[in-house]
Amino acid sequence: MKIPYRDLSVSDCNLRSELLQAVDRVLSHGKIVLGPETEEFERKIAQFCKRKYAVGLCSGTTALYFALRSLDVGPGVQVVTTPLSWIATLNAVALCGAQPVFVDIKEDLNINVDLIEDAITEKTKVILPVHFTGKLCNMPQITEIAKKYNLHVIEDAAQSFGACDNGIMAGSFGDIGCFSMNPMKVLNAYGEAGVAVTDSEIIYRKLISLRYLGTINKENCLYPSYNGKIDTIQAAMLLVNLKYLSKKIKSRREIAGFYTQSLKDIVVCPQDNKTNHVYYLYTILAPSRDELKQYLFSRGIETQIHHPKLMPNNTAYQYLPKFNMPVAEDLIGKILCLPNQETLTLKETRYVVECIKDFYGGS
Ligand SMILES: *Cc1c(COP(=O)(O)O)cnc(C)c1O
């Protein structure tokens, strides 16, 4: 049996024809830039997240960068975040010229909220938690700390669209929530896409300007920025996928539940099925991780390591001071992501489990 980590082709005929029709409509009306589908997408996303405003952007990285810029994060400002995320999180901070401050993680791979207060200084302006793997951080506690120290919260919710805690959606705890809808994400486009959500009209207006090179009405540029708009074609296709999101998340939770049930006595598994997790990644903490990865590959199963390095340990960030993050340093050598795309069959997930059992049983 061959199980790829991910397969981005659209095999469902009905879905494919809906997507093609959506593209066709955009080609027909010709409003290719910020067309009606963009507005509808923003309205639906804001509604879904229970926020006042959503701004469609060209990527999740752009959403993070613009979110920071909209709060005037720049040189001399510190941003408290986690060391374990896709490098986009740190790049966004660095591109603003701000200083990242890393707080260690817990075994659930999210920021250890109990350590945040120690990292706050008079230069801190923003806490930037990442809902890593699609699981929400402890947001009630983070927002409490932010309030106490008068800080802003930007959620890197790139992996967690659709997760919720007590009815509060990912991206709606902080001042700004940032999502990626790149082709790998649970709610995916077929190209690059992202969105930022907020309740603040001031932030909303700034984001609208930032995505259009810092201009107002294309007339006057207030501050240098990029072209960061979402494509109408991607918005149109995202509207189609949004309809099927809850079904997709349900399937992912079922796969996760099966993995956890079958593997929990052999490896460390993420916490069990709850609404606070959409399983963008299904990550196990595996002893002899590299050997397991190789063994699974030899049996036709592709796995991935998200990520091989903590963000500050990348070459670009050698200039940063050293941070105390022993848990992250330890777990980075054990994490392994199993295939968990919603299209996997029970037969396939059983095979993955069987091979992992074979590996540990035989060693
Ligand atoms: C995917 C991702 C991003 C960046 O999103 P892009 O749309 O690829 O730019 C940022 N942060 C995290 C945690 C991500 O997983």
Side-chain angles (χ1 to χ4, degrees):
M1 205 183 292
K2 271 246 177 292
I3 306 182
Y5 182 71
R6 260 194 206 106
D7 179 3
L8 299 179
S9 63
V10 182
S11 52
D12 181 319
C13 294
N14 293 330
L15 177 63
R16 181 137 87 195
S17 105
E18 271 193 76
L19 289 167
L20 289 172
Q21 281 168 31
V23 172
D24 196 51
R25 277 194 297 275
V26 177
L27 295 180
S28 297
H29 66 54
K31 296 184 186 85
I32 307 288
V33 181
L34 297 179
E37 286 82 359
T38 304
E39 281 170 37
E40 188 185 344
F41 168 74
E42 290 172 341
R43 203 166 51 242
K44 292 234 164 97
I45 295 292
Q47 198 176 32
F48 185 95
C49 296
K50 300 178 199 161
R51 300 223 81 160
K52 281 203 188 121
Y53 307 102
V55 179
L57 300 167
C58 65
S59 73
T61 310
T62 308
L64 288 166
Y65 173 72
F66 286 173
L68 290 158
R69 288 276 311 271
S70 76
L71 297 174
D72 293 324
V73 170
V77 168
Q78 290 182 344
V79 176
V80 172
T81 191
T82 167
L84 180 57
S85 179
W86 173 225
I87 197 68
T89 312
L90 176 51
N91 282 1
V93 175
L95 285 169
C96 290
Q99 198 184 336
V101 174
F102 298 99
V103 168
D104 206 1
I105 59 173
K106 284 213 217 187
E107 203 172 65
D108 74 350
L109 307 181
N110 277 337
I111 193 165
N112 185 341
V113 178
D114 297 328
L115 302 176
I116 289 179
E117 282 194 69
D118 289 341
I120 293 171
T121 71
E122 69 282 1
K123 289 183 180 164
T124 311
K125 191 164 187 179
V126 174
I127 306 175
L128 174 53
V130 179
H131 307 310
F132 197 61
T133 72
K135 179 179 186 284
L136 284 177
C137 297
N138 183 340
M139 289 313 294
Q141 209 178 325
I142 289 174
T143 43
E144 184 109 346
I145 295 168
K147 222 177 180 173
K148 181 170 160 192
Y149 293 90
N150 199 19
L151 305 173
H152 293 289
V153 175
I154 297 175
E155 292 171 74
D156 182 342
Q159 305 187 348
S160 61
F161 190 84
C164 75
D165 180 16
N166 275 320
I168 307 178
M169 306 303 292
S172 64
F173 292 89
D175 297 87
I176 310 169
C178 300
F179 298 103
S180 163
M181 276 108 187
N182 82 25
M184 274 76 75
K185 297 297 184 330
V186 183
L187 174 61
N188 66 292
Y190 299 88
E192 308 298 336
V195 68
V197 294
T198 185
D199 286 335
S200 155
E201 192 186 338
I202 295 170
I203 292 170
Y204 169 71
R205 288 190 187 284
K206 256 192 144 163
L207 292 171
I208 291 287
S209 166
L210 281 162
R211 80 170 169 185
Y212 223 124
L213 299 141
T215 63
I216 301 270
N217 298 329
K218 289 190 270 177
E219 284 170 7
N220 187 24
C221 174
L222 303 187
Y223 23 70
S225 184
Y226 297 112
N227 174 3
K229 304 184 290 292
I230 192 171
D231 286 329
T232 304
I233 284 185
Q234 297 304 340
M237 293 170 102
L238 279 162
L239 280 169
V240 174
N241 280 347
L242 186 60
K243 290 196 290 181
Y244 303 107
L245 180 71
S246 60
K247 218 170 117 193
K248 234 169 145 176
I249 292 174
K250 186 164 170 274
S251 305
R252 282 186 178 240
R253 286 190 180 131
E254 277 163 15
I255 291 166
F258 176 75
Y259 275 150
T260 302
Q261 194 56 34
S262 319
L263 295 171
K264 65 181 188 315
D265 298 330
I266 311 171
V267 291
V268 177
C269 294
Q271 282 171 349
D272 233 327
N273 267 347
K274 280 196 201 144
T275 61
N276 69 355
H277 205 329
V278 294
Y279 293 100
Y280 167 63
L281 305 172
Y282 185 90
T283 306
I284 58 171
L285 301 177
S288 313
R289 189 264 319 267
D290 294 338
E291 290 78 8
L292 172 63
K293 185 175 196 308
Q294 215 163 16
Y295 176 76
L296 292 175
F297 190 73
S298 75
R299 298 205 46 190
I301 300 165
E302 197 191 336
T303 56
Q304 290 190 358
I305 297 169
H306 293 281
H307 298 279
K309 277 178 165 51
L310 297 175
M311 291 192 297
N313 293 344
N314 281 272
T315 305
Y317 295 102
Q318 280 167 350
Y319 69 90
L320 290 175
K322 294 283 160 256
F323 291 89
N324 185 31
M325 39 193 194
V327 178
E329 302 275 10
D330 174 41
L331 297 186
I332 197 82
K334 295 180 181 160
I335 49 181
L336 187 68
C337 305
L338 305 182
N340 73 327
Q341 198 163 308
E342 59 285 347
T343 46
L344 283 183
T345 62
L346 184 58
K347 201 170 148 207
E348 289 170 319
T349 45
R350 279 206 181 114
Y351 178 67
V352 175
V353 165
E354 187 190 309
C355 292
I356 293 173
K357 285 186 171 165
D358 286 349
F359 174 78
Y360 286 110
S363 65

